[in-house]
Amino acid sequence: MATLSLSKDDLPTIKLKNEDDLVVSPFLGIEKGAVLQECRIFNDLHLKPRKCVDALVRLLYLVGHGERLSSTEATEVFFSITKLFQSNEPTLRRLVYLSIKELAGAADEVIIVTNCLMKDVNSREDMYRANATRVLCRITDSQMVSQIERYLKQEIVDRNPVVASAALVSGQHLLLHNKGDVVRRWISEITQALEHPSPMVQYHALALLYQIRQHDRLAVSKLVQGLARSGIRSAFACCLLIRSILRIIGETYASESTSERRPFFEFIESCLRHPSDMVVCEAARSIISVPGISREEVKKTVTIVNSHLLRRSSVVRHAALRILNKATYLYPNQQWFDPFDFEDFLHDKNRAITTLAIATVLRGAREQTIEGFLKKIQSKFMELPDEFRVQIVEAVHSLVLKYPNSYYSLLNFLGSSLREEGGFEFKRAVVDAYFSLLNEIPQSKEICLSHLCEFIEDCEHPFLSARILHLLGQEGPKMSQPGKYIRYIYNRIILENAAVRAAAVSSLARFLDENSTSKTRKAIVVLLKQCLHDSDDEVRDRASYFLSQCQRMADEENSLIKIDEGEEPVSSPTTIKEFPQLPYSLPELENSLVDYLSREDFNEEFDVVNVPKAVASLGASEHMTTTDIPGKTEESNVDTDDWGNVSLASSSQTKEMPGWRNANSLLSEIEELASLGTPLKTSLSAELTEPETEYNVSYVKHTYRQYIVLEFIIVSTLEDQILENVQVVTDLSSIEGLQLVKNIPVSLLKYGSPQHAFVILQRLEGFYPIGDAPCEVRYVVKEMNPSTGEVDDKGFDEEYKLEDLSFGISDYMVPLQQTNARFKDIWDKFGSQNEVRETFALSMHQSIPSALNAVRDFLGMTVVEGGQVSTYATQHISLFGGSLVTETDCIWVVCYAEFVKEPDAVILNLTVRSEDLNVSELVCSAIA
């Protein structure tokens, strides 16, 4: 790509009276119309290069900042720019190239500039040749590539490195945009370019050669083997070759033996002695990333990396620390960092190096040295920016989980950081760490809650205050002295904004449980009564609701609490176990009420039975640890069920949908569906149309042992039509193992009235159909007069295309109940004989929480442990459990998932065990 090189005289300047005056951007206030008017100077007979440069700079600024030119405007400017080829001024010519590339997508007939570019390609000026080649390959189509192929092949072997690199990069662009059939015939020239004396040309040649052969594994292996034997001088090309080798090792790890991979590994080891620090760091990073690497190999690599910590270059030191940091993930009990060099990194001028060094030492620290490390980094920690402090907080969090007996000193470190100044992201990271540790280490609950209570006294972030108040409402009543938390909660009611006050009211009401004393209950009732006079509606409504629930439940227990003024409370104990939750979906309840009021027909009472029920959330998982699972060392104390291990969830997971009542009751009303029994699982609803279309269609899948029932909820938004015999037709030709049994249509569909159509599918024995199936709605349309309600007797057949139906492994997986799942027992029972291990790169996800949620939803399993993870976490372990539905029984499936965050993806190391090896392979293959 051509670079923009302008002198001070080439840009508009602003004269300043004093050095302290504010410097204003020279592009401030420019408008598209004025710039287009200015571009007309390109048509002058006598060009003025200085003014043309100014106009092109302003034009490129507008286009680069998102200003869109119409096709007519872009074409007019484009043809004006082509007239600037008559000027040989270097700066103007380079700007012309940039302008043509930017306007090529919006202008028409850009191919007319080809002759001018071809002239520059054949010129003697290397700068013209290189830039013209790039622009020409950008605007040309697949038919014209063959006409310029001869020039491109000559430039690949050109002595000038700029020209050769431009031709090679243009070849990559042609391949990327499906114009590169001719590029595959350049193997001889590209191979010759690998011997070019310029390191840049060697790098681009290797990149293009790999891009041509990337889909042929054998050809890639031969290319890598040949270059590994002969060697390559360019450091950039050597790094690219190392990455290619690492990719080959990862792809062939399961199929090839160690001896077959040894030549590749030996080449990477030889790169550890390369004179370039960049190559050494890349080789070390690759060796640590090789699957199945031994501890001895890692130790030799780390020894070499440690020597680079003393280099003067900050980039080299940072790269070496990142490698050591990654090594601590693989072997957390090994001290890769020399503690005697730690003081030097504390005073490093580069804060990123300081942060990374602290995080590395903490992750690999010994338990007896933790307190000393924390004292050393305390003062330096407060000087770092928030983004660096978040990384250290994550390292401290990992260290607490690693050494739970040392939680006191580590939590004191986190508590002191909460009292210091910091932004929202930093405070949220610390609070997330407290929430996680509170669940992972039960004995730390008291100190965690105390630190969080102190934090909300001066918390400037309502979101964090509301979260902590909710936690206090959950955990505070269970503590030995719940009364001391009530004071912190009530302080929020007095001092905070409306959102926090509402959260505090809900938290306060949770202390009215069966363990609370009579004195505590009376005090809470008094506090709630004071909230009835709050200025915010939400706060008053919550206080009123909880007081009424308190009164109602006290009446049920025959132990009345007098709420009215002047009445004495009864001294008998009040046992309020919990406040009942609304069984309905609040969004759907609101929609139903709005719809009822909009009809303005109040002769019929509002019936709450028609409101869809809310999804019952699973209980919080108990703290469980295992002995034979990687990374787990403690024993689980969870009770077993009748089977001895796990029990299935008794109710299916469902999601509320418009006009959809209780799924089981609706299925039981239809004879064909009632004969199938009760579904083992009901999926979440999915939309098959856009919200603004004339018909809104969503669907739900009900899974039985041998059948799948598709329930379609269809709503018409057209007032002047009614539909008859509405049915959904599915094309199952692309999905193996699934056949149609019966289609149950909707007899009549009116405007705004949701109706349900069903499709019954049978799953063939031994098949778990996965894939997408096209579908459409077929119906008979009849015109209707909305004002009179008269319907035309004549109708006509019509069809409406829908989005494809999706079938996945989650449709056949029933999640486990978290409250009584004994993961360790199942894991040990299945053993390693039915175990399958795979590694996946989740490139669509840039954070571990996003990847964790995606894997959970895709597999349809319960996260037995490790469901909570910080957004900034770089490594996390989760345990999944589920039961695969078969024709006769359910097969238990358990998964151990390790997530590792990389710069461009999240790596998932998945281990699956089940009663049947084929089932374990099925789960892994579904992800692949």
Side-chain angles (χ1 to χ4, degrees):
M1 179 178 179
T3 57
L4 185 59
S5 177
L6 300 177
S7 65
K8 293 182 179 179
D9 296 334
D10 293 329
L11 293 175
T13 58
I14 297 177
K15 296 181 179 180
L16 303 177
K17 295 181 180 179
N18 300 311
E19 294 182 357
D20 297 334
D21 289 349
L22 178 66
V23 179
V24 182
S25 170
F27 304 106
L28 182 65
I30 63 174
E31 298 179 354
K32 182 176 72 172
V35 173
L36 294 179
Q37 183 70 21
E38 189 178 358
C39 289
R40 293 186 177 182
I41 65 173
F42 302 157
N43 298 319
D44 294 347
L45 293 177
H46 301 286
L47 293 176
K48 299 179 181 179
R50 167 66 184 277
K51 291 188 176 180
C52 292
V53 166
D54 291 346
L56 285 178
V57 168
R58 292 185 175 89
L59 178 65
L60 290 172
Y61 175 84
L62 286 177
V63 175
H65 282 72
E67 187 71 42
R68 291 186 175 272
L69 302 181
S70 65
S71 179
T72 303
E73 293 171 341
T75 303
E76 182 180 350
V77 175
F78 183 84
F79 280 101
S80 299
I81 292 175
T82 58
K83 298 179 182 180
L84 298 178
F85 276 100
Q86 58 184 309
S87 174
N88 292 324
E89 208 280 327
T91 301
L92 180 59
R93 180 62 63 88
R94 302 180 78 172
L95 286 172
V96 168
Y97 292 136
L98 287 174
S99 303
I100 291 175
K101 290 174 65 176
E102 293 296 333
L103 298 176
D108 298 329
E109 303 296 334
V110 296
I111 206 69
I112 198 171
V113 80
T114 302
N115 291 332
C116 298
L117 294 174
M118 290 294 295
K119 183 179 178 181
D120 284 354
V121 168
N122 295 317
S123 68
R124 295 183 179 180
E125 291 289 338
D126 291 334
M127 188 271 291
Y128 289 178
R129 294 171 61 195
N131 288 287
T133 299
R134 291 175 181 267
V135 178
L136 188 61
C137 292
R138 177 71 175 269
I139 68 173
T140 190
D141 54 21
S142 55
Q143 296 178 353
M144 292 194 60
V145 173
S146 58
Q147 300 179 16
I148 63 174
E149 178 186 7
R150 177 168 59 90
Y151 302 103
L152 294 175
K153 293 172 68 174
Q154 292 175 356
E155 289 182 345
I156 289 176
V157 295
D158 195 275
R159 293 183 178 180
N160 189 290
V162 177
V163 175
S165 289
L168 291 168
V169 171
S170 299
Q172 295 182 41
H173 176 82
L174 293 174
L175 282 175
L176 188 63
H177 292 82
N178 298 322
K179 306 176 186 176
D181 292 337
V182 298
V183 180
R184 306 183 191 282
R185 301 196 294 262
W186 301 352
I187 300 297
S188 176
E189 289 78 8
I190 299 173
T191 305
Q192 186 177 349
L194 287 173
E195 303 297 329
H196 199 283
S198 171
M200 178 175 60
V201 176
Q202 294 181 30
Y203 170 72
H204 288 145
L206 179 59
L208 180 57
L209 200 58
Y210 180 81
Q211 190 174 355
I212 293 174
R213 298 179 175 179
Q214 61 180 342
H215 299 297
D216 187 349
R217 180 178 295 180
L218 181 60
V220 172
S221 299
K222 290 182 178 179
L223 170 65
V224 172
Q225 287 178 356
L227 293 176
R229 286 194 301 267
S230 61
I232 193 166
R233 296 188 302 274
S234 170
F236 297 106
C238 193
C239 290
L240 182 60
L241 183 60
I242 292 173
R243 294 191 178 187
S244 303
I245 291 176
L246 181 62
R247 189 177 294 111
I248 292 175
I249 293 177
E251 292 175 353
T252 61
Y253 177 72
S255 58
E256 293 185 357
S257 61
T258 305
S259 59
E260 294 175 337
R261 298 191 303 269
R262 191 63 195 174
F264 295 111
F265 189 77
E266 289 177 351
F267 171 77
I268 299 180
E269 279 189 320
S270 66
C271 292
L272 291 174
R273 298 179 292 275
H274 198 278
S276 173
D277 291 331
M278 178 175 61
V279 176
V280 174
C281 291
E282 183 66 30
R285 186 191 67 85
S286 300
I287 290 177
I288 293 179
S289 303
V290 170
I293 187 69
S294 64
R295 184 185 294 268
E296 289 73 19
E297 297 289 349
V298 176
K299 189 174 182 179
K300 290 192 299 183
T301 304
V302 168
T303 302
I304 297 176
V305 172
N306 275 326
S307 64
H308 286 67
L309 295 175
L310 305 177
R311 297 296 175 92
R312 299 182 61 182
S313 173
S314 298
V315 175
V316 176
R317 296 202 306 276
H318 189 271
L321 280 172
R322 287 194 63 183
I323 296 171
L324 294 178
N325 196 8
K326 189 172 184 177
T328 58
Y329 282 126
L330 298 177
Y331 302 97
N333 296 323
Q334 181 70 35
Q335 181 72 52
W336 301 116
F337 197 95
D338 189 356
F340 295 102
D341 297 334
F342 179 68
E343 295 289 342
D344 297 336
F345 289 106
L346 269 184
H347 305 288
D348 198 291
K349 296 180 180 179
N350 191 311
R351 293 181 175 181
I353 292 179
T354 300
T355 304
L356 195 57
I358 293 174
T360 304
V361 172
L362 286 176
R363 287 196 171 97
R366 305 286 185 183
E367 186 171 9
Q368 59 271 20
T369 62
I370 291 176
E371 191 169 354
F373 281 144
L374 294 179
K375 290 180 180 179
K376 289 182 179 179
I377 68 175
Q378 185 70 48
S379 59
K380 190 66 177 178
F381 176 76
M382 301 308 172
E383 301 174 2
L384 297 175
D386 284 354
E387 58 268 24
F388 294 143
R389 289 197 282 179
V390 167
Q391 300 179 26
I392 297 178
V393 168
E394 293 174 358
V396 173
H397 176 213
S398 302
L399 195 60
V400 179
L401 298 179
K402 182 179 177 182
Y403 301 117
N405 294 330
S406 302
Y407 73 88
Y408 186 81
S409 58
L410 293 168
L411 288 180
N412 284 336
F413 176 82
L414 293 178
S416 63
S417 64
L418 273 180
R419 292 188 291 271
E420 298 295 333
E421 295 293 331
F424 172 73
E425 296 298 334
F426 166 64
K427 298 293 185 180
R428 184 172 67 171
V430 179
V431 171
D432 287 342
Y434 271 109
F435 273 64
S436 175
L437 297 175
L438 190 139
N439 293 324
E440 297 287 346
I441 307 176
Q443 61 268 29
S444 68
K445 282 187 178 182
E446 189 78 29
I447 187 174
C448 285
L449 292 179
S450 298
H451 288 176
L452 293 176
C453 286
E454 295 175 3
F455 170 62
I456 61 175
E457 289 292 307
D458 299 316
C459 181
E460 301 175 354
H461 310 288
F463 174 77
L464 297 180
S465 296
R467 284 188 62 193
I468 295 173
L469 288 171
H470 179 73
L471 177 68
L472 291 177
Q474 286 183 323
E475 301 294 339
K478 305 174 186 177
M479 306 308 294
S480 57
Q481 295 179 345
K484 69 177 183 180
Y485 303 107
I486 297 178
R487 175 176 62 86
Y488 291 102
I489 297 174
Y490 186 67
N491 286 343
R492 301 306 97 210
I493 298 178
I494 300 175
L495 303 174
E496 291 289 353
N497 57 26
V500 178
R501 295 202 305 271
V505 169
S506 299
S507 179
L508 191 63
R510 288 178 174 267
F511 283 79
L512 289 169
D513 64 353
E514 58 186 3
N515 297 323
S516 60
T517 63
S518 176
K519 182 178 179 180
T520 301
R521 290 194 293 271
K522 295 175 187 178
I524 293 176
V525 169
V526 172
L527 296 178
L528 290 176
K529 284 174 57 181
Q530 295 179 7
C531 297
L532 294 175
H533 306 288
D534 194 273
S535 60
D536 185 72
D537 294 341
E538 178 71 16
V539 178
R540 294 197 304 271
D541 291 345
R542 291 197 185 195
S544 177
Y545 169 75
F546 286 120
L547 284 171
S548 63
Q549 290 297 317
C550 179
Q551 177 76 55
R552 183 182 64 82
M553 297 192 71
D555 290 340
E556 292 177 358
E557 296 292 337
N558 197 22
S559 178
L560 180 63
I561 296 181
K562 300 297 183 180
I563 303 299
D564 298 332
E565 292 287 348
E567 294 183 344
E568 293 297 330
V570 178
S571 59
S572 57
T574 303
T575 56
I576 301 178
K577 297 181 180 179
E578 62 178 8
F579 291 106
Q581 301 290 332
L582 286 176
Y584 306 104
S585 167
L586 292 181
E588 289 301 331
L589 177 60
E590 179 184 7
N591 293 336
S592 300
L593 289 171
V594 171
D595 183 62
Y596 175 75
L597 294 175
S598 63
R599 291 199 301 266
E600 297 183 355
D601 181 12
F602 305 114
N603 295 326
E604 181 181 355
E605 293 184 355
F606 177 76
D607 190 359
V608 76
V609 177
N610 296 327
V611 180
K613 296 294 184 65
V615 180
S617 60
L618 293 174
S621 61
E622 300 183 17
H623 178 68
M624 293 175 294
T625 51
T626 60
T627 53
D628 297 339
I629 303 173
K632 302 291 178 180
T633 57
E634 297 181 8
E635 184 68 23
S636 175
N637 295 320
V638 184
D639 295 334
T640 60
D641 58 5
D642 296 336
W643 185 71
N645 296 309
V646 184
S647 65
L648 280 172
S650 58
S651 60
S652 302
Q653 292 181 348
T654 59
K655 182 180 180 180
E656 58 271 5
M657 299 166 293
W660 181 47
R661 302 183 182 181
N662 185 279
N664 292 336
S665 63
L666 186 61
L667 296 177
S668 61
E669 295 174 2
I670 302 175
E671 181 179 356
E672 294 89 340
L673 303 178
S675 62
L676 300 178
T678 303
L680 296 176
K681 181 177 182 179
T682 298
S683 70
L684 302 177
S685 67
E687 299 293 336
L688 297 177
T689 58
E690 297 294 334
E692 62 274 6
T693 55
E694 54 266 36
Y695 306 114
N696 294 333
V697 182
S698 58
Y699 80 107
V700 173
K701 287 171 284 189
H702 304 284
T703 303
Y704 299 80
R705 293 203 181 277
Q706 294 181 328
Y707 296 92
I708 297 177
V709 175
L710 305 178
E711 179 182 358
F712 297 90
I713 302 90
I714 308 173
V715 181
S716 173
T717 61
L718 301 178
E719 298 184 14
D720 57 349
Q721 291 181 358
I722 64 169
L723 309 182
E724 296 181 353
N725 193 25
V726 183
Q727 59 179 333
V728 180
V729 179
T730 58
D731 181 8
L732 303 174
S733 58
S734 60
I735 300 181
E736 186 180 5
L738 206 59
Q739 62 182 15
L740 177 64
V741 176
K742 190 170 184 178
N743 202 318
I744 303 177
V746 175
S747 57
L748 181 64
L749 180 63
K750 296 181 179 180
Y751 163 72
S753 177
Q755 297 295 330
H756 301 254
F758 297 89
V759 175
I760 304 177
L761 306 176
Q762 183 176 11
R763 182 164 57 92
L764 301 182
E765 184 176 357
F767 283 91
Y768 293 93
I770 296 176
D772 297 333
C775 63
E776 62 183 12
V777 181
R778 296 180 183 176
Y779 47 87
V780 177
V781 182
K782 290 186 178 181
E783 300 294 336
M784 184 187 70
N785 190 332
S787 58
T788 62
E790 296 181 1
V791 180
D792 190 357
D793 294 335
K794 296 182 180 180
F796 56 92
D797 294 334
E798 190 61 85
E799 59 186 31
Y800 188 79
K801 186 68 175 177
L802 303 176
E803 297 289 338
D804 292 350
L805 303 175
S806 178
F807 296 89
I809 189 65
S810 61
D811 296 327
Y812 316 104
M813 191 73 67
V814 180
L816 301 181
Q817 280 188 343
Q818 290 180 307
T819 53
N820 61 352
R822 289 200 64 184
F823 190 92
K824 176 189 178 299
D825 291 344
I826 307 176
W827 186 271
D828 294 341
K829 180 180 179 65
F830 295 156
S832 59
Q833 63 273 14
N834 294 332
E835 178 180 286
V836 176
R837 295 188 178 185
E838 291 289 348
T839 300
F840 307 96
L842 308 181
S843 58
M844 298 297 293
H845 303 277
Q846 300 302 319
S847 66
I848 291 182
S850 173
L852 172 61
N853 293 334
V855 172
R856 178 200 61 199
D857 296 339
F858 183 83
L859 296 178
M861 295 184 176
T862 298
V863 183
V864 179
E865 185 178 338
Q868 296 182 351
V869 56
S870 170
T871 308
Y872 305 98
T874 55
Q875 188 179 31
H876 183 69
I877 293 176
S878 295
L879 311 178
F880 297 87
S883 179
L884 189 70
V885 177
T886 65
E887 292 79 4
T888 58
D889 202 353
C890 292
I891 297 181
W892 307 96
V893 183
V894 288
C895 302
Y896 172 87
E898 180 185 9
F899 298 89
V900 180
K901 183 180 178 182
E902 295 290 348
D904 53 350
V906 175
I907 305 301
L908 170 62
N909 298 314
L910 184 65
T911 304
V912 182
R913 289 186 181 183
S914 68
E915 300 177 65
D916 189 345
L917 179 60
N918 294 328
V919 173
S920 302
E921 294 175 347
L922 173 67
V923 174
C924 285
S925 62
I927 299 179

